[in-house]
Amino acid sequence: MADLNPITAWKRLLALPNESRPKTLLVAFLTSVLCAALVTGATVVLRPIQAANRAAEVQVRLEALLSAIPGMTQLLSANPDAAVSTVVVDLTTGRAARDITPATLETALQDTANWTPLKPEDDLADLGARPDIAQVYVLRQGDQVRLLILPVAGSGYNGPIEAMLAINGDMQTIAGLTVTRQAETPGLGARIEEPAWQASFAGTRFADDSGAMRFAVAKGPSASDYEVDGITGATRTSNAVTRMVRFWLGPQGYGPLIEAVKRGEF
């Protein structure tokens, strides 16, 4: 009768020559199982740490953006009732999303039902699909929205570009921009992270009185209230930023939210 004792079977396996095919296959299998378990365990353990690090990075960027916007530091220090709040917005309606909070947003975005595929003619930022919900930051003074801070993203020359774009309460001018992620060419497109270039966004109009989108990164020095200076030698990156801003401030992006603020409904 065969010995079914697992310890005995293990000893027989170890006694096999190292070049034995069964021994080689079993060791390879056990090694892959152990590695998969370690990777899975590390992912589970590190996920909260990574989320906390991302939240801390966003907070640092947010504070830096606010401090760089002309007049914001004075406004916050002089008005105790002026505070930045976080809201998850339904981009289709421009209203606060139902049943989704900042704490549950990441989980909600894992559901493909919360994404909208974009037609090529609508996909200015080259995203492929747009999330239907987004976390935005709102600075209110009393009942008045003084500032919207909007996460934006698009495809650059070498990879994704992500940023936070601040819009003044008039819903026609940009208050500031900070790039939070980019992989553009060092010394060229990567200059979009330079504070001096980002500072040029303050006061730039993105739409005219009729609501038509006019924003652009110029090919050289800006020549109108709707432009920011271009970056020499980085035409593709400049064009990517133009398309990204136009998309997110247009009807496929935060347009419904901007219109709701204009009507006093947000």
mmCIF file of all heavy atoms in Angstrom, residues 183-202:
data_model
loop_
_atom_site.group_PDB
_atom_site.id
_atom_site.type_symbol
_atom_site.label_atom_id
_atom_site.label_comp_id
_atom_site.label_asym_id
_atom_site.label_seq_id
_atom_site.Cartn_x
_atom_site.Cartn_y
_atom_site.Cartn_z
ATOM 1 N N ALA A 183 6.096 63.560 -17.366
ATOM 2 C CA ALA A 183 7.254 62.774 -17.797
ATOM 3 C C ALA A 183 7.836 63.376 -19.075
ATOM 4 O O ALA A 183 8.337 62.660 -19.931
ATOM 5 C CB ALA A 183 6.847 61.319 -18.023
ATOM 6 N N GLU A 184 7.751 64.697 -19.174
ATOM 7 C CA GLU A 184 8.200 65.360 -20.393
ATOM 8 C C GLU A 184 9.733 65.453 -20.439
ATOM 9 O O GLU A 184 10.426 65.178 -19.472
ATOM 10 C CB GLU A 184 7.566 66.745 -20.502
ATOM 11 C CG GLU A 184 6.037 66.723 -20.507
ATOM 12 C CD GLU A 184 5.457 65.878 -21.620
ATOM 13 O OE1 GLU A 184 5.323 66.388 -22.746
ATOM 14 O OE2 GLU A 184 5.152 64.687 -21.385
ATOM 15 N N THR A 185 10.255 65.863 -21.576
ATOM 16 C CA THR A 185 11.697 65.896 -21.797
ATOM 17 C C THR A 185 12.374 66.910 -20.878
ATOM 18 O O THR A 185 12.005 68.084 -20.880
ATOM 19 C CB THR A 185 12.007 66.260 -23.265
ATOM 20 O OG1 THR A 185 11.293 65.363 -24.126
ATOM 21 C CG2 THR A 185 13.497 66.155 -23.545
ATOM 22 N N PRO A 186 13.371 66.477 -20.090
ATOM 23 C CA PRO A 186 14.071 67.422 -19.210
ATOM 24 C C PRO A 186 14.668 68.586 -20.002
ATOM 25 O O PRO A 186 15.233 68.398 -21.081
ATOM 26 C CB PRO A 186 15.179 66.555 -18.581
ATOM 27 C CG PRO A 186 14.629 65.167 -18.634
ATOM 28 C CD PRO A 186 13.843 65.096 -19.910
ATOM 29 N N GLY A 187 14.503 69.779 -19.458
ATOM 30 C CA GLY A 187 15.041 70.971 -20.103
ATOM 31 C C GLY A 187 14.155 71.544 -21.185
ATOM 32 O O GLY A 187 14.368 72.675 -21.634
ATOM 33 N N LEU A 188 13.131 70.768 -21.582
ATOM 34 C CA LEU A 188 12.195 71.247 -22.609
ATOM 35 C C LEU A 188 10.776 71.196 -22.032
ATOM 36 O O LEU A 188 10.372 72.063 -21.290
ATOM 37 C CB LEU A 188 12.336 70.404 -23.890
ATOM 38 C CG LEU A 188 13.699 70.509 -24.599
ATOM 39 C CD1 LEU A 188 13.800 69.495 -25.731
ATOM 40 C CD2 LEU A 188 13.916 71.918 -25.123
ATOM 41 N N GLY A 189 10.030 70.155 -22.388
ATOM 42 C CA GLY A 189 8.660 70.066 -21.898
ATOM 43 C C GLY A 189 8.549 69.985 -20.390
ATOM 44 O O GLY A 189 7.551 70.423 -19.804
ATOM 45 N N ALA A 190 9.583 69.424 -19.730
ATOM 46 C CA ALA A 190 9.540 69.302 -18.271
ATOM 47 C C ALA A 190 9.533 70.655 -17.582
ATOM 48 O O ALA A 190 9.269 70.740 -16.378
ATOM 49 C CB ALA A 190 10.722 68.472 -17.775
ATOM 50 N N ARG A 191 9.773 71.725 -18.337
ATOM 51 C CA ARG A 191 9.745 73.064 -17.741
ATOM 52 C C ARG A 191 8.332 73.478 -17.313
ATOM 53 O O ARG A 191 8.179 74.512 -16.656
ATOM 54 C CB ARG A 191 10.322 74.077 -18.738
ATOM 55 C CG ARG A 191 11.826 73.910 -18.978
ATOM 56 C CD ARG A 191 12.333 74.904 -19.990
ATOM 57 N NE ARG A 191 12.062 76.263 -19.567
ATOM 58 C CZ ARG A 191 12.025 77.304 -20.397
ATOM 59 N NH1 ARG A 191 12.223 77.138 -21.691
ATOM 60 N NH2 ARG A 191 11.770 78.519 -19.928
ATOM 61 N N ILE A 192 7.336 72.691 -17.659
ATOM 62 C CA ILE A 192 5.984 73.000 -17.183
ATOM 63 C C ILE A 192 5.893 72.926 -15.659
ATOM 64 O O ILE A 192 4.923 73.404 -15.070
ATOM 65 C CB ILE A 192 4.910 72.078 -17.817
ATOM 66 C CG1 ILE A 192 5.182 70.609 -17.479
ATOM 67 C CG2 ILE A 192 4.820 72.306 -19.316
ATOM 68 C CD1 ILE A 192 4.107 69.657 -17.981
ATOM 69 N N GLU A 193 6.891 72.335 -15.017
ATOM 70 C CA GLU A 193 6.905 72.294 -13.545
ATOM 71 C C GLU A 193 7.596 73.507 -12.947
ATOM 72 O O GLU A 193 7.595 73.673 -11.726
ATOM 73 C CB GLU A 193 7.584 71.017 -13.052
ATOM 74 C CG GLU A 193 6.667 69.803 -13.065
ATOM 75 C CD GLU A 193 7.058 68.766 -12.035
ATOM 76 O OE1 GLU A 193 6.796 69.006 -10.836
ATOM 77 O OE2 GLU A 193 7.594 67.722 -12.417
ATOM 78 N N GLU A 194 8.199 74.357 -13.777
ATOM 79 C CA GLU A 194 8.904 75.523 -13.237
ATOM 80 C C GLU A 194 7.908 76.512 -12.652
ATOM 81 O O GLU A 194 6.930 76.886 -13.305
ATOM 82 C CB GLU A 194 9.732 76.191 -14.337
ATOM 83 C CG GLU A 194 10.912 75.351 -14.812
ATOM 84 C CD GLU A 194 11.733 76.069 -15.868
ATOM 85 O OE1 GLU A 194 11.347 77.193 -16.285
ATOM 86 O OE2 GLU A 194 12.760 75.502 -16.291
ATOM 87 N N PRO A 195 8.135 76.968 -11.415
ATOM 88 C CA PRO A 195 7.210 77.912 -10.774
ATOM 89 C C PRO A 195 6.973 79.178 -11.598
ATOM 90 O O PRO A 195 5.850 79.693 -11.627
ATOM 91 C CB PRO A 195 7.909 78.236 -9.445
ATOM 92 C CG PRO A 195 8.746 77.037 -9.162
ATOM 93 C CD PRO A 195 9.228 76.567 -10.500
ATOM 94 N N ALA A 196 8.008 79.679 -12.276
ATOM 95 C CA ALA A 196 7.848 80.919 -13.050
ATOM 96 C C ALA A 196 6.849 80.732 -14.182
ATOM 97 O O ALA A 196 6.026 81.618 -14.456
ATOM 98 C CB ALA A 196 9.199 81.372 -13.601
ATOM 99 N N TRP A 197 6.903 79.572 -14.855
ATOM 100 C CA TRP A 197 5.951 79.337 -15.950
ATOM 101 C C TRP A 197 4.549 79.120 -15.407
ATOM 102 O O TRP A 197 3.576 79.659 -15.932
ATOM 103 C CB TRP A 197 6.384 78.126 -16.785
ATOM 104 C CG TRP A 197 5.508 77.943 -17.992
ATOM 105 C CD1 TRP A 197 5.518 78.670 -19.141
ATOM 106 C CD2 TRP A 197 4.460 76.973 -18.141
ATOM 107 N NE1 TRP A 197 4.543 78.218 -20.012
ATOM 108 C CE2 TRP A 197 3.884 77.180 -19.422
ATOM 109 C CE3 TRP A 197 3.959 75.957 -17.328
ATOM 110 C CZ2 TRP A 197 2.836 76.403 -19.904
ATOM 111 C CZ3 TRP A 197 2.917 75.184 -17.806
ATOM 112 C CH2 TRP A 197 2.360 75.412 -19.076
ATOM 113 N N GLN A 198 4.425 78.373 -14.331
ATOM 114 C CA GLN A 198 3.107 78.137 -13.748
ATOM 115 C C GLN A 198 2.489 79.443 -13.248
ATOM 116 O O GLN A 198 1.275 79.630 -13.330
ATOM 117 C CB GLN A 198 3.215 77.118 -12.613
ATOM 118 C CG GLN A 198 3.629 75.730 -13.092
ATOM 119 C CD GLN A 198 3.698 74.702 -11.978
ATOM 120 O OE1 GLN A 198 3.173 74.914 -10.892
ATOM 121 N NE2 GLN A 198 4.341 73.580 -12.248
ATOM 122 N N ALA A 199 3.332 80.356 -12.756
ATOM 123 C CA ALA A 199 2.819 81.632 -12.251
ATOM 124 C C ALA A 199 2.193 82.471 -13.348
ATOM 125 O O ALA A 199 1.349 83.337 -13.078
ATOM 126 C CB ALA A 199 3.949 82.418 -11.584
ATOM 127 N N SER A 200 2.566 82.212 -14.611
ATOM 128 C CA SER A 200 2.025 83.002 -15.719
ATOM 129 C C SER A 200 0.544 82.720 -15.968
ATOM 130 O O SER A 200 -0.115 83.459 -16.712
ATOM 131 C CB SER A 200 2.825 82.734 -17.004
ATOM 132 O OG SER A 200 2.629 81.408 -17.470
ATOM 133 N N PHE A 201 -0.004 81.669 -15.361
ATOM 134 C CA PHE A 201 -1.415 81.342 -15.558
ATOM 135 C C PHE A 201 -2.339 82.300 -14.803
ATOM 136 O O PHE A 201 -3.491 82.472 -15.185
ATOM 137 C CB PHE A 201 -1.692 79.902 -15.095
ATOM 138 C CG PHE A 201 -1.350 78.863 -16.119
ATOM 139 C CD1 PHE A 201 -0.032 78.552 -16.396
ATOM 140 C CD2 PHE A 201 -2.355 78.195 -16.813
ATOM 141 C CE1 PHE A 201 0.289 77.589 -17.342
ATOM 142 C CE2 PHE A 201 -2.048 77.230 -17.756
ATOM 143 C CZ PHE A 201 -0.720 76.934 -18.025
ATOM 144 N N ALA A 202 -1.849 82.887 -13.706
ATOM 145 C CA ALA A 202 -2.699 83.739 -12.874
ATOM 146 C C ALA A 202 -3.257 84.906 -13.683
ATOM 147 O O ALA A 202 -2.508 85.664 -14.301
ATOM 148 C CB ALA A 202 -1.910 84.261 -11.682
#
